Amino acid sequence: MKLADNKATLSFSNGAASVDLPVYQGSIGPDVIDIRKLYAQTGMFTYDPGFLSTAACQSAITYIDGDKGELLYRGYPIEQLAKNCNYLETCYLLLYGELPNATQKAEFEDTVTKHTMVNEQMQFFLRGFRRDAHPMAVLTGLVGGMSAFYHDSTDITNPEHRNIAAIRLIAKLPTLVAMAYKYGTGQPYMYPKNDLSYAGNFMRMMFGNPCEDYVVNPVVERALDRIFILHADHEQNASTSTVRLCGSSGTNPFAAISAGVACLWGPAHGGANEACLNMLESIQANGGIAKVGEFMEQVKDKSSGVKLMGFGHRVYKNYDPRAKLMQETCNEILAELGLENDPLFALAKQVEKIALEDDYFVSRKLYPNVDFYSGIVQRAIGIPVKLFTGIFALARTVGWIAQLNEQMADPEYKIGRPRQLYTGSVVRDVKPIAQR
């Protein structure tokens, strides 16, 4: 952080003395007013539900400009990374701050690949769940349970432990997600293969079986890899903030990431693409493409309670930069798999067309976001809707662990302790039960 030349002055209309507050500048983006001493100086807290105007940390990992529709990983535009790098290169960038050279890339990919196996006891852990359990419920338990198997990387204050945990989490999440899927279907688990790519290996563990060789479709492989890149990190969102807050207590990295998985499960966060596909399937069940216009009119009627999922974004006030990339991938996948005329996909295209042409949606900048297209792509690949958020968690794990590592290495970090505006009863006495 760089101290700005100017200061902010907080004045009070009741005659209390004004307070000068330092202002700090980042490399890009809004300046911040330092209020760390505000309570000591004034006896007051700030009030900011949802933390819409509060910077809880300093970070050099990801930057978003919602007005410009800009997303940077370590300064690199997401568009360039998605077109020129694979997911593990992106992981290296997020973890270590720079893109790897050829040697570093090969070594990192080799290290991750050789840690994709999980302890055999994990299979018995899985048996404690019902077969119809939601994959995110299973994944929350499996990720948290990793701390029971890998005792040599649970000290969150040790940089070496954190790095080992990072590699293990990135490497083993595809295996765990695939195991959760296979368990729910009753199919045998598929062990990872070291001669496949990260995305290709995941596809084989998901869709392969021991009776025959699985051939990786390169178009699908690249589509999945792009999904991972686009979801790898997204600044200080709800799940990332959860990971940071959980980690600030000194808990182990696996527990902190498990907390992120649990937060991501929410339909307002990682469950958005699942909610989007459920919306499309509901339209299909109630008349299909012929009823799209009627559905969109209901969306415009606020009293109807009907919501348009997969459009607009809390952060991006312009177009989600990830959406255009995902749209390209969506078209490639539908063409590759011969699904251009699938009824649900045709319906999705009609919803998109209306939203991009209707003044109601255009004026409110309700453009399709990454969730709209990624859900369509995953369904086309064969990933069940219930597993969409699990794929998101797989991809976001590197962002969580990078953010966690950054926090723990920050000399200014403290255990998180938000304040409140108390509106309950004032002090009162407890009466004997006979007098209540």
Side-chain angles (χ1 to χ4, degrees):
M1 291 192 301
K2 177 186 176 184
L3 189 63
D5 295 331
N6 60 304
K7 294 182 179 179
T9 300
L10 178 63
S11 59
F12 303 91
S13 60
N14 63 358
S18 61
V19 176
D20 287 335
L21 300 168
V23 175
Y24 286 96
Q25 298 174 326
S27 50
I28 49 177
D31 295 345
V32 299
I33 301 171
D34 186 350
I35 61 169
R36 284 176 287 184
K37 296 181 179 179
L38 181 66
Y39 179 62
Q41 291 175 306
T42 67
M44 296 182 182
F45 301 139
T46 57
Y47 182 63
D48 186 19
F51 309 109
L52 301 183
S53 298
T54 299
C57 64
Q58 55 176 308
S59 179
I61 298 173
T62 303
Y63 174 75
I64 297 171
D65 188 321
D67 294 326
K68 293 181 180 178
E70 184 178 66
L71 171 60
L72 308 177
Y73 290 172
R74 300 285 191 180
Y76 293 105
I78 190 65
E79 297 88 345
Q80 295 181 26
L81 291 170
K83 291 178 180 178
N84 300 311
C85 300
N86 65 23
Y87 177 66
L88 288 184
E89 286 178 89
T90 305
C91 289
Y92 188 98
L93 170 67
L94 291 172
L95 286 174
Y96 305 120
E98 299 292 344
L99 284 169
N101 59 33
T103 301
Q104 292 168 331
K105 176 185 175 183
E107 290 177 350
F108 183 73
E109 290 183 345
D110 183 65
T111 301
V112 171
T113 299
K114 289 180 178 177
H115 283 82
T116 51
M117 291 278 289
V118 298
N119 192 295
E120 285 290 286
Q121 289 292 109
M122 282 286 189
Q123 296 189 25
F124 301 106
F125 192 6
L126 267 169
R127 293 178 189 177
F129 293 98
R130 288 172 53 112
R131 291 280 182 180
D132 61 353
H134 194 287
M136 287 299 282
V138 175
L139 199 59
T140 302
L142 290 178
V143 174
M146 287 177 71
S147 59
F149 294 95
Y150 303 106
H151 303 291
D152 60 343
S153 56
T154 55
D155 183 357
I156 202 170
T157 64
N158 185 319
E160 184 178 352
H161 280 215
R162 294 199 302 270
N163 189 60
I164 294 171
I167 297 297
R168 283 176 170 158
L169 283 158
I170 294 167
K172 298 179 193 304
L173 253 293
T175 309
L176 295 178
V177 172
M179 287 176 70
Y181 169 68
K182 289 292 193 182
Y183 179 75
T185 60
Q187 297 178 20
Y189 306 122
M190 294 292 289
Y191 288 105
K193 284 193 70 178
N194 291 351
D195 60 345
L196 295 176
S197 71
Y198 190 84
N201 202 10
F202 177 64
M203 289 167 58
R204 179 182 173 277
M205 289 191 290
M206 281 283 294
F207 305 120
N209 67 73
C211 303
E212 58 192 23
D213 291 332
Y214 179 83
V215 179
V216 176
N217 182 319
V219 178
V220 176
E221 179 182 27
R222 179 56 186 161
L224 202 54
D225 195 76
R226 177 169 283 191
I227 287 176
F228 295 162
I229 292 172
L230 298 182
H231 290 85
D233 196 51
H234 210 237
E235 211 211 72
Q236 306 308 315
N237 51 76
S239 58
T240 298
S241 299
T242 297
V243 170
R244 279 182 172 263
L245 187 61
C246 188
S248 75
S249 72
T251 191
N252 69 78
F254 305 108
I257 300 306
S258 179
V261 174
C263 181
L264 190 71
W265 192 356
H269 191 10
N273 50 15
E274 181 177 343
C276 178
L277 255 294
N278 288 337
M279 174 194 75
L280 293 174
E281 289 177 347
S282 175
I283 299 173
Q284 182 68 15
N286 289 285
I289 199 165
K291 295 292 184 178
V292 171
E294 182 180 317
F295 172 81
M296 297 299 271
E297 288 301 316
Q298 290 178 325
V299 171
K300 291 192 281 187
D301 180 5
K302 292 184 179 180
S303 65
S304 71
V306 176
K307 293 184 178 181
L308 180 63
M309 306 303 295
F311 289 76
H313 197 280
R314 182 181 179 184
V315 173
Y316 297 111
K317 305 308 177 187
N318 205 313
Y319 202 80
D320 182 342
R322 302 167 300 171
K324 184 177 181 180
L325 295 161
M326 206 66 249
Q327 182 188 45
E328 294 173 2
T329 298
C330 183
N331 292 331
E332 290 172 4
I333 282 292
L334 297 185
E336 172 67 18
L337 302 179
L339 294 171
E340 302 99 323
N341 298 320
D342 180 274
L344 195 70
F345 298 135
L347 188 155
K349 290 290 186 182
Q350 184 63 21
V351 170
E352 176 190 35
K353 183 176 185 294
I354 293 175
L356 292 176
E357 295 177 355
D358 191 300
D359 286 341
Y360 177 89
F361 301 103
V362 173
S363 64
R364 289 165 174 77
K365 298 184 178 180
L366 294 176
Y367 303 114
N369 59 39
V370 70
D371 296 313
F372 181 74
Y373 297 113
S374 67
I376 295 172
V377 170
Q378 289 180 73
R379 182 181 184 274
I381 291 172
I383 296 170
V385 174
K386 286 175 63 175
L387 200 64
F388 285 2
T389 317
I391 305 297
F392 194 162
L394 186 169
R396 181 57 56 83
T397 292
V398 65
W400 288 332
I401 198 71
Q403 295 273 352
L404 183 63
N405 288 353
E406 181 183 61
Q407 171 184 273
M408 302 310 296
D410 186 348
E412 292 191 342
Y413 114 84
K414 294 178 175 61
I415 184 172
R417 181 60 171 88
R419 300 295 192 167
Q420 66 175 17
L421 175 64
Y422 179 69
T423 58
S425 300
V426 296
V427 177
R428 49 184 175 168
D429 296 324
V430 177
K431 297 179 180 178
I433 193 167
Q435 297 178 22
R436 295 176 204 167

